[in-house]
Amino acid sequence: MKTETRNENPKHRQNSNASPADLTTEFTNGETVRLHSDVEIYDTRAQRSQKIRIVMPDSVDLKKGCISVFSPLSTALLGHYEGDLVTMVTNGISRELKVIGVVNPKT
């Protein structure tokens, strides 16, 4: 599987003056796709949106949209933000996915 990202989100711009505290805030601000995230994606090829939850393998329930953190879709999305375009190639088929929304549980 191959993934590629085009970023339209200004939060991705590098800040060379960022302190470690700033970086921690950036990566835990609730908009980053991670384990237990509820993610809405839009598949530009299929022209449809889909909501998923990224879970550990023992919690997978495809009927409820709960997919494994180790699935190709999850691994392509992990670390991305709302607004990102992610190109995912599996079995020679390219899919462009836009991350529409990300909701993370409160910790």
Side-chain angles (χ1 to χ4, degrees):
M1 179 184 69
K2 176 182 169 188
T3 61
E4 169 184 310
T5 303
R6 283 196 316 248
N7 185 346
E8 298 176 351
N9 190 330
K11 290 186 179 187
H12 285 279
R13 292 194 176 88
Q14 294 292 330
N15 181 356
S16 60
N17 297 322
S19 71
D22 293 335
L23 295 175
T24 301
T25 301
E26 178 179 347
F27 289 107
T28 60
N29 65 6
E31 296 178 357
T32 306
V33 178
R34 59 182 174 85
L35 182 62
H36 304 298
S37 291
D38 289 320
V39 185
E40 183 174 2
I41 55 174
Y42 180 77
D43 186 325
T44 59
R45 182 178 181 163
Q47 297 185 352
R48 67 180 183 99
S49 64
Q50 178 180 5
K51 292 181 181 178
I52 59 168
R53 175 173 288 163
I54 299 175
V55 298
M56 291 300 290
D58 61 343
S59 298
V60 168
D61 186 339
L62 298 179
K63 290 181 182 180
K64 293 182 179 178
C66 298
I67 65 171
S68 171
V69 67
F70 301 115
S71 72
L73 178 57
S74 290
T75 58
L77 295 172
L78 289 172
H80 289 284
Y81 296 82
E82 291 177 12
D84 279 358
L85 289 173
V86 179
T87 301
M88 181 175 133
V89 179
T90 52
N91 298 327
I93 298 170
S94 178
R95 294 172 60 191
E96 186 173 78
L97 308 170
K98 180 164 184 149
V99 180
I100 302 297
V102 180
V103 176
N104 289 315
K106 301 289 183 201
T107 55

Coordinates of all heavy atoms in Angstrom, one line a residue, residues 43-100:
D43 N -14.6 9.9 -0.2 CA -13.9 9.2 -1.3 C -14.3 9.9 -2.6 O -15.4 9.9 -3.0 CB -14.3 7.8 -1.3 CG -13.5 6.9 -2.3 OD1 -13.2 7.5 -3.4 OD2 -13.3 5.8 -2.0
T44 N -13.3 10.6 -3.2 CA -13.6 11.4 -4.3 C -13.9 10.6 -5.6 O -14.7 11.0 -6.4 CB -12.4 12.4 -4.7 OG1 -11.2 11.6 -4.9 CG2 -12.2 13.4 -3.5
R45 N -13.4 9.4 -5.6 CA -13.7 8.5 -6.7 C -15.1 7.9 -6.7 O -15.8 7.9 -7.6 CB -12.6 7.4 -6.8 CG -12.8 6.4 -7.9 CD -11.7 5.4 -7.9 NE -11.9 4.5 -9.1 CZ -11.0 3.7 -9.6 NH1 -9.8 3.7 -9.0 NH2 -11.3 3.0 -10.6
A46 N -15.5 7.4 -5.5 CA -16.8 6.8 -5.3 C -17.8 7.9 -5.1 O -19.0 7.6 -5.1 CB -16.8 5.9 -4.1
Q47 N -17.4 9.1 -4.8 CA -18.3 10.3 -4.5 C -19.3 10.0 -3.4 O -20.5 10.2 -3.5 CB -19.0 10.7 -5.8 CG -18.1 11.2 -6.8 CD -18.8 11.8 -8.0 OE1 -20.0 11.7 -8.2 NE2 -18.0 12.4 -8.9
R48 N -18.7 9.5 -2.3 CA -19.5 9.2 -1.1 C -18.7 9.4 0.2 O -17.5 9.3 0.1 CB -20.1 7.8 -1.1 CG -19.2 6.7 -1.0 CD -19.9 5.3 -1.0 NE -18.9 4.3 -0.8 CZ -18.7 3.7 0.3 NH1 -19.4 4.0 1.4 NH2 -17.8 2.7 0.4
S49 N -19.4 9.7 1.2 CA -18.7 9.9 2.5 C -18.9 8.6 3.4 O -19.9 7.9 3.1 CB -19.1 11.1 3.2 OG -20.5 11.1 3.6
Q50 N -18.1 8.4 4.3 CA -18.1 7.3 5.2 C -17.6 7.7 6.6 O -16.7 8.5 6.7 CB -17.2 6.2 4.6 CG -17.1 4.9 5.4 CD -16.2 3.9 4.8 OE1 -15.6 4.2 3.7 NE2 -16.1 2.7 5.3
K51 N -18.3 7.2 7.6 CA -17.8 7.4 9.0 C -17.3 6.1 9.5 O -17.9 5.1 9.4 CB -19.0 7.9 9.8 CG -19.5 9.3 9.4 CD -20.6 9.8 10.3 CE -21.0 11.1 9.9 NZ -22.2 11.6 10.7
I52 N -16.1 6.2 10.1 CA -15.4 5.1 10.7 C -14.9 5.4 12.1 O -14.8 6.6 12.5 CB -14.3 4.6 9.9 CG1 -13.2 5.7 9.7 CG2 -14.7 4.0 8.5 CD1 -11.9 5.2 9.1
R53 N -14.7 4.4 12.9 CA -14.0 4.5 14.2 C -12.8 3.6 14.1 O -12.9 2.4 13.8 CB -14.9 4.2 15.4 CG -14.1 4.2 16.7 CD -15.1 4.0 17.9 NE -15.8 5.3 18.0 CZ -17.0 5.3 18.7 NH1 -17.4 4.3 19.3 NH2 -17.6 6.5 18.8
I54 N -11.6 4.1 14.5 CA -10.4 3.3 14.5 C -10.2 2.7 15.9 O -10.2 3.4 16.9 CB -9.2 4.2 14.1 CG1 -9.4 4.8 12.7 CG2 -7.9 3.4 14.2 CD1 -8.4 5.8 12.3
V55 N -10.2 1.3 15.9 CA -10.2 0.6 17.2 C -9.1 -0.5 17.1 O -8.5 -0.8 16.1 CB -11.6 -0.1 17.4 CG1 -12.7 1.0 17.6 CG2 -11.9 -1.1 16.3
M56 N -8.9 -1.1 18.3 CA -8.0 -2.2 18.4 C -8.6 -3.4 17.7 O -9.9 -3.5 17.6 CB -7.6 -2.5 19.8 CG -6.8 -1.5 20.5 SD -5.2 -1.2 19.7 CE -4.4 -2.8 20.1
P57 N -7.8 -4.4 17.2 CA -8.4 -5.5 16.5 C -9.5 -6.3 17.2 O -10.5 -6.8 16.6 CB -7.2 -6.4 16.2 CG -6.0 -5.5 16.2 CD -6.4 -4.4 17.2
D58 N -9.4 -6.4 18.5 CA -10.5 -7.1 19.3 C -11.8 -6.4 19.4 O -12.8 -7.0 19.8 CB -10.0 -7.6 20.6 CG -9.6 -6.4 21.5 OD1 -9.4 -5.3 21.0 OD2 -9.5 -6.6 22.8
S59 N -11.8 -5.1 18.9 CA -13.1 -4.4 19.0 C -13.7 -4.1 17.6 O -14.6 -3.3 17.5 CB -12.8 -3.0 19.7 OG -12.4 -3.2 21.0
V60 N -13.1 -4.7 16.6 CA -13.6 -4.5 15.2 C -15.1 -5.0 15.1 O -15.5 -6.0 15.6 CB -12.8 -5.3 14.2 CG1 -13.4 -5.3 12.8 CG2 -11.4 -4.7 14.1
D61 N -15.9 -4.1 14.5 CA -17.3 -4.4 14.2 C -17.7 -3.6 13.0 O -18.0 -2.4 13.0 CB -18.2 -4.0 15.4 CG -19.7 -4.4 15.2 OD1 -20.1 -4.6 14.1 OD2 -20.4 -4.4 16.2
L62 N -17.6 -4.3 11.8 CA -17.7 -3.6 10.6 C -19.1 -3.0 10.4 O -19.3 -2.0 9.8 CB -17.4 -4.5 9.4 CG -15.9 -4.9 9.4 CD1 -15.7 -5.9 8.2 CD2 -15.0 -3.8 9.3
K63 N -20.1 -3.7 11.0 CA -21.5 -3.2 10.9 C -21.7 -1.8 11.6 O -22.5 -1.0 11.2 CB -22.5 -4.2 11.5 CG -22.6 -5.4 10.6 CD -23.6 -6.4 11.2 CE -23.7 -7.6 10.3 NZ -24.6 -8.6 10.9
K64 N -20.8 -1.6 12.6 CA -20.9 -0.3 13.3 C -19.8 0.7 12.8 O -19.7 1.8 13.4 CB -20.7 -0.5 14.8 CG -21.8 -1.3 15.5 CD -21.6 -1.4 17.0 CE -22.7 -2.1 17.6 NZ -22.5 -2.3 19.1
G65 N -19.1 0.3 11.8 CA -18.0 1.2 11.2 C -16.7 1.2 12.0 O -15.9 2.1 11.9
C66 N -16.5 0.2 12.9 CA -15.3 0.1 13.7 C -14.3 -0.7 13.0 O -14.5 -1.9 12.8 CB -15.6 -0.5 15.1 SG -16.8 0.5 16.1
I67 N -13.2 -0.1 12.6 CA -12.2 -0.8 11.8 C -10.9 -0.9 12.6 O -10.6 0.0 13.4 CB -12.0 -0.2 10.4 CG1 -11.4 1.2 10.5 CG2 -13.3 -0.2 9.6 CD1 -11.0 1.8 9.2
S68 N -10.1 -1.9 12.3 CA -8.8 -2.1 13.0 C -7.8 -1.0 12.7 O -7.7 -0.5 11.6 CB -8.2 -3.5 12.6 OG -6.9 -3.6 13.1
V69 N -7.1 -0.6 13.7 CA -6.0 0.3 13.6 C -4.9 -0.2 12.6 O -4.2 0.6 12.0 CB -5.4 0.6 15.0 CG1 -4.7 -0.6 15.6 CG2 -4.5 1.9 14.9
F70 N -4.9 -1.5 12.4 CA -3.9 -2.1 11.5 C -4.4 -2.3 10.1 O -3.7 -2.8 9.2 CB -3.4 -3.4 12.1 CG -2.8 -3.3 13.4 CD1 -3.4 -3.9 14.5 CD2 -1.7 -2.6 13.6 CE1 -2.9 -3.8 15.8 CE2 -1.1 -2.4 14.9 CZ -1.7 -3.0 16.0
S71 N -5.7 -1.9 9.8 CA -6.2 -2.0 8.4 C -5.5 -1.0 7.5 O -5.0 0.0 8.0 CB -7.7 -1.8 8.4 OG -8.0 -0.4 8.7
P72 N -5.5 -1.3 6.2 CA -4.9 -0.3 5.3 C -5.5 1.1 5.3 O -4.8 2.1 5.3 CB -5.1 -1.0 3.9 CG -5.2 -2.4 4.2 CD -5.9 -2.5 5.5
L73 N -6.8 1.1 5.5 CA -7.5 2.4 5.6 C -7.0 3.2 6.8 O -6.7 4.4 6.7 CB -9.0 2.3 5.6 CG -9.8 3.6 5.7 CD1 -9.4 4.6 4.6 CD2 -11.3 3.3 5.6
S74 N -7.0 2.5 8.0 CA -6.6 3.2 9.2 C -5.1 3.7 9.1 O -4.8 4.8 9.5 CB -6.7 2.3 10.4 OG -8.1 2.0 10.7
T75 N -4.3 2.8 8.6 CA -2.8 3.2 8.6 C -2.6 4.3 7.6 O -1.7 5.1 7.8 CB -1.9 2.0 8.2 OG1 -2.3 1.4 7.0 CG2 -2.0 0.9 9.3
A76 N -3.4 4.4 6.6 CA -3.3 5.6 5.7 C -3.8 6.9 6.3 O -3.2 7.9 6.0 CB -4.1 5.3 4.4
L77 N -4.7 6.8 7.2 CA -5.3 8.0 7.8 C -4.6 8.4 9.1 O -4.7 9.6 9.4 CB -6.8 7.7 8.1 CG -7.7 7.5 7.0 CD1 -9.1 7.1 7.4 CD2 -7.8 8.8 6.1
L78 N -4.0 7.5 9.8 CA -3.3 7.9 11.1 C -2.4 9.0 10.9 O -1.6 9.1 10.0 CB -2.6 6.7 11.7 CG -3.5 5.5 12.2 CD1 -2.6 4.3 12.6 CD2 -4.3 6.0 13.4
G79 N -2.5 10.0 11.9 CA -1.6 11.2 11.9 C -2.1 12.3 11.0 O -1.5 13.4 11.0
H80 N -3.1 12.1 10.2 CA -3.6 13.2 9.4 C -4.7 14.0 10.1 O -5.1 13.7 11.2 CB -4.2 12.6 8.1 CG -3.2 12.0 7.2 ND1 -2.4 12.8 6.4 CD2 -2.8 10.8 7.0 CE1 -1.5 12.1 5.8 NE2 -1.7 10.8 6.1
Y81 N -5.0 15.1 9.5 CA -5.9 16.1 10.1 C -7.1 16.4 9.3 O -7.1 16.1 8.1 CB -5.1 17.5 10.2 CG -3.9 17.5 11.1 CD1 -2.7 17.1 10.7 CD2 -4.0 18.0 12.4 CE1 -1.6 17.1 11.5 CE2 -2.9 18.1 13.2 CZ -1.7 17.6 12.8 OH -0.6 17.6 13.6
E82 N -8.1 17.0 9.9 CA -9.2 17.5 9.1 C -8.7 18.4 7.9 O -7.8 19.2 8.1 CB -10.2 18.4 10.0 CG -10.8 17.6 11.1 CD -11.7 18.5 12.0 OE1 -11.9 19.7 11.6 OE2 -12.1 18.0 13.0
G83 N -9.3 18.1 6.8 CA -8.9 18.9 5.6 C -7.8 18.2 4.7 O -7.6 18.7 3.6
D84 N -7.1 17.2 5.3 CA -6.1 16.6 4.5 C -6.7 15.7 3.4 O -7.8 15.2 3.5 CB -5.3 15.6 5.4 CG -4.2 16.3 6.2 OD1 -4.1 17.5 6.1 OD2 -3.5 15.6 6.9
L85 N -6.0 15.7 2.3 CA -6.3 14.8 1.2 C -5.2 13.6 1.2 O -4.0 13.9 1.2 CB -6.2 15.5 -0.2 CG -7.3 16.5 -0.5 CD1 -7.0 17.2 -1.8 CD2 -8.6 15.8 -0.6
V86 N -5.7 12.4 1.3 CA -4.8 11.3 1.4 C -5.0 10.4 0.2 O -6.2 10.0 -0.1 CB -5.1 10.5 2.7 CG1 -4.2 9.3 2.8 CG2 -5.0 11.4 3.9
T87 N -4.0 10.1 -0.6 CA -4.1 9.2 -1.7 C -3.6 7.8 -1.2 O -2.5 7.7 -0.7 CB -3.2 9.7 -2.9 OG1 -3.7 11.0 -3.3 CG2 -3.4 8.7 -4.1
M88 N -4.5 6.8 -1.4 CA -4.2 5.5 -0.9 C -4.3 4.6 -2.1 O -5.3 4.6 -2.9 CB -5.3 5.1 0.1 CG -5.2 3.8 0.7 SD -6.4 3.6 2.0 CE -7.0 2.0 1.5
V89 N -3.2 3.8 -2.3 CA -3.2 2.8 -3.4 C -3.2 1.4 -2.9 O -2.2 1.1 -2.1 CB -2.0 3.1 -4.4 CG1 -2.0 2.0 -5.5 CG2 -2.0 4.5 -4.9
T90 N -4.2 0.6 -3.2 CA -4.2 -0.8 -2.8 C -4.6 -1.6 -4.0 O -5.5 -1.3 -4.7 CB -5.2 -1.0 -1.6 OG1 -6.5 -0.5 -2.0 CG2 -4.7 -0.4 -0.3
N91 N -3.9 -2.7 -4.2 CA -4.1 -3.6 -5.3 C -4.2 -2.8 -6.6 O -5.0 -3.1 -7.5 CB -5.5 -4.4 -5.1 CG -5.4 -5.2 -3.9 OD1 -4.4 -5.8 -3.6 ND2 -6.5 -5.4 -3.2
G92 N -3.3 -1.8 -6.8 CA -3.2 -1.1 -8.0 C -4.4 0.0 -8.2 O -4.4 0.6 -9.2
I93 N -5.3 0.1 -7.2 CA -6.4 1.0 -7.4 C -6.1 2.2 -6.5 O -5.9 2.1 -5.3 CB -7.7 0.3 -7.0 CG1 -8.0 -0.8 -7.9 CG2 -8.9 1.4 -7.0 CD1 -9.2 -1.7 -7.5
S94 N -6.1 3.4 -7.0 CA -5.9 4.6 -6.3 C -7.2 5.2 -5.8 O -8.1 5.3 -6.6 CB -5.2 5.6 -7.2 OG -4.9 6.8 -6.6
R95 N -7.2 5.6 -4.5 CA -8.3 6.3 -4.0 C -7.8 7.6 -3.3 O -6.9 7.6 -2.6 CB -9.0 5.4 -2.9 CG -9.6 4.2 -3.3 CD -10.1 3.3 -2.2 NE -11.1 4.0 -1.3 CZ -11.5 3.5 -0.2 NH1 -11.0 2.3 0.3 NH2 -12.4 4.1 0.5
E96 N -8.5 8.7 -3.6 CA -8.2 9.9 -2.9 C -9.3 10.2 -1.9 O -10.5 10.2 -2.2 CB -8.2 11.1 -3.9 CG -7.7 12.4 -3.3 CD -7.5 13.5 -4.3 OE1 -8.5 14.1 -4.7 OE2 -6.4 13.7 -4.7
L97 N -8.9 10.3 -0.6 CA -9.8 10.5 0.5 C -9.5 11.8 1.1 O -8.4 12.2 1.4 CB -9.5 9.4 1.5 CG -9.5 7.9 1.0 CD1 -9.0 7.0 2.1 CD2 -10.9 7.6 0.5
K98 N -10.6 12.5 1.4 CA -10.5 13.8 2.1 C -11.0 13.6 3.5 O -12.1 13.0 3.7 CB -11.3 14.9 1.4 CG -11.2 16.2 2.2 CD -11.7 17.4 1.4 CE -11.4 18.6 2.2 NZ -11.2 19.8 1.4
V99 N -10.2 14.0 4.5 CA -10.6 13.9 5.9 C -11.6 15.0 6.2 O -11.2 16.2 6.2 CB -9.4 13.9 6.8 CG1 -9.9 13.8 8.3 CG2 -8.4 12.8 6.5
I100 N -12.9 14.7 6.3 CA -13.9 15.7 6.5 C -13.9 16.1 8.0 O -14.1 17.3 8.3 CB -15.3 15.2 6.1 CG1 -15.3 14.8 4.6 CG2 -16.4 16.2 6.4 CD1 -15.0 15.9 3.7

